[in-house]
Structure formats: structure tokens, C-alpha cells
Amino acid sequence: MSFFRGRRLRRTESLRNLVRETELRPQDLIHPFFVLEDDDLQTRKPIASMPGQSQLGLGALVDDVHRAWDQGLRALMLFGIPKHKDERGSQAYAREGIVQQAVTRIKETVPEMLVITDVCLCEYTSHGHCGLIAEGMVQNDPTLELLAQTALSHVQAGADMVAPSDMMDGRVQAIRQTLDAEGFCDRPIMSYAVKYASAFYGPFREAAQSAPSFGDRKTYQMDPANALEGLREAEADVQEGADMLMVKPALPYLDVLRRLRERYDLPLAAYHVSGEYALIKAAGEKGWIDERQVALESLTSIKRAGATCILTYFAREAVEWVG
Ligand code: PBG
């Protein structure tokens, strides 16, 4: 017999464990949280399209972060939902904005939790776009200063890392310059470098109340059909000083993630987004798939494709599954 006997190395569980190439570790996972500015600090508003996830008042958030730490979670990403929105998204960079308060509270309570903040205006603007609007268009350059101020206010509150998700050109450079000038040369930037204009963000926009009130995000987020363009975006962010690069969404773009892995030596993040989570949850609830197994297979695949770390709404559960 002269054919390949691949089954030899799959004969027993110990053997399969021995030759496993990819291991999902608790410290690979980053859980996104939504903090809601509300008079009731203990408020919990479940997000219908993301079962298991809620908008949390400040107190409820701190409780959940504390519990997640005890479960083994070591990193989180924060999104804010402000009480007031305006044309310029001023609550995004307000010193006492909801994210700034949340960072402070988390750092007081669970100081070792790695706190990453999403830097964007869309949750804070009345029009729901990620940048300033003039003549019906999202304005790139005037937005940069606001993004830099947002990032600065987050690190001043104690954020360990900032993650710009707006897809304006030049934002990594603008943020880096501002952080450095203000004495925060030690805080890294995780750039949402390759972010697609994806329908998979649907549930998130309900969760963060950030759907654009007119038009769409196609003049700043990328065309799902393009991979080479993603490489150009990544290169620009590397040149501008990004410390980590992100691909988003994750599963539909594993090819892009793999190409970035081969080309760059920076750590890579992948964002398993709200729609990817919702699909698994919905099919799991119907009993059509094994939710836990599908979630773990998805996250392992993202890691196998080249992700150093993964943002996922399954993180809290997954740290226990793999811990
Ligand atoms: C903000 C932002 C979005 C997501 C992360 N940051 C939404 C968007 O760009 O419309 C999506 C995350 C998810 O779907 O889980 N710009």
C-alpha cells in the first residue's frame, strides 16, 4: 500500500491533541461591551438581535467586567451610547463622556483588565456617520482632529489601547501625533485597518444606536469585493504608526487576514462581528446547530487564518470553554 495514511495521527484523542496546530487561549479573546449613559447605573437593556448581550449602565458594566475577569477574560473593547448626540459628536471627546467615565471606573475596580476603546464618532453624531458632514458628504480632514481628541480623552481616562474604527484617511497618524505630544507615547493603536462596508454590522447598529440617518458608509468603509485595497489600507496604517492591525468582519474575510499575516509582522486582530454572532445564536436557539461547537470552530478558524487575537461577543463564554 502506498497511499498517505492521515488517519494514523488521528487514532486517539491524546495523539490528536499532540499534533494540534492551533490553540485558542483565553488571553486571545477580547469582549466588546456597550456602556449606556443612563441615570439608572444598574440598567441592563438586552439587545434583541444579540442574545446574551446588553446595553449596560455604568454600575452594571463594572459588575459584569468584574465577573468576566473572574471567569478568565483579560481584555475588553468599550463602546459608548451617549444620552445626547449632536452634529459634531461632542460626547465622543467629552472629558466626562460615558466611555471616559467607564474606563475610569473599570480601571479603579479591575485595574489589570486590558481596556481598549473604540474611537469613532458614529455613536455620538446625530446623523450617525463616522465623520463630520458638510454638503451631505463625510469630511475627512476636519474629522481627524476630533478623532485624535477622542483617543486622547480615552487614554487620559486610563485606556490601555485605542482602536480607531472610523476609516478616515490619516487618522492613525493624527492620533499618534496627539498622543505623543500629550505624553502618551506608551499607548498603542490597534487600527481597524481593513474594515469593510458590511451588512454583518446590522445587530451592532441596533446595539449602539449608530445607524446612519442617510446614505451608507461606502465612501469610507471598504468594498467587500476588494482584497488588494485592503493591503493598501494596511500599508498606510503601518506607515502611520499602527501597533496592531485589524480585519473586520472576520469569517467572510479570512483570505484578507491570511494575506496580512504573510505580509506584516505586526500582531493582527480579527473582529468576529455582531452579525456573525447573531447567525450562530439564532441557529443555535432553533436547535439547528450546536452553538458552542460552531462558535469554537469559528474562533479557531480565525486564529488558524492568522489572527493573534479575536474580538468576539462569545469571549466571555469562550474563556471558560477553553480555559
Ligand atoms: C463603529 C463600529 C461599528 C462596529 C464596530 N465599530 C459599526 C459600523 O461601522 O457601522 C461593528 C461591530 C459589530 O458589528 O460587532 N464605527
Side-chain angles (χ1 to χ4, degrees), residues 107 114-115 151-152 154-162 175-190 241-244:
K107 280 290 166 188
L114 186 79
V115 176
L152 176 62
H154 292 174
V155 302
Q156 282 170 336
D160 295 296
M161 174 145 65
V162 291
I175 291 170
R176 187 72 272 158
Q177 280 173 355
T178 297
L179 295 187
D180 290 355
E182 299 291 331
F184 293 102
C185 60
D186 61 343
R187 297 311 150 86
I189 300 174
M190 173 196 278
D243 299 280
M244 297 181 68

Side-chain angles (χ1 to χ4, degrees), residues 118 120 165 195 201 204-205 217 221 248 273-274 313:
D118 183 86
C120 195
S165 68
K195 178 173 175 181
Y201 306 150
F204 174 94
R205 291 183 189 167
R217 302 209 201 287
Q221 298 180 350
K248 176 185 173 189
V273 302
S274 57
Y313 303 94

Side-chain angles (χ1 to χ4, degrees), residues 2 4 21 49 60 74 87 99 104 116 120 129 138-139 167 171 173-174 192 199 207 221 252 273 298-299 306 308 311:
S2 65
F4 168 63
E21 298 171 34
S49 52
R74 291 295 175 264
E87 288 274 296
V99 163
T104 307
I116 310 169
C120 195
H129 276 288
V138 176
Q139 304 294 312
M167 287 298 278
R171 83 286 174 91
Q173 182 181 76
Y192 286 69
Q221 298 180 350
V273 302
S298 301
L299 299 177
T308 313
L311 294 115

Side-chain angles (χ1 to χ4, degrees), residues 137-155:
M137 289 291 290
V138 176
Q139 304 294 312
N140 195 87
D141 297 13
T143 302
L144 299 180
E145 176 59 20
L146 302 187
L147 293 168
Q149 289 308 314
T150 302
L152 176 62
S153 67
H154 292 174
V155 302

Side-chain angles (χ1 to χ4, degrees), residues 57-103:
L58 262 182
L61 171 78
V62 172
D63 293 347
D64 280 15
V65 169
H66 208 272
R67 192 167 321 120
W69 173 270
D70 290 340
Q71 289 168 334
L73 186 78
R74 291 295 175 264
L76 61 82
M77 171 80 89
L78 258 188
F79 294 95
I81 308 155
K83 219 180 227 171
H84 304 291
K85 303 189 185 216
D86 58 34
E87 288 274 296
R88 296 178 59 80
S90 54
Q91 284 304 305
Y93 39 92
R95 199 170 265 277
E96 288 296 309
I98 185 62
V99 163
Q100 291 79 356
Q101 290 185 51
V103 171

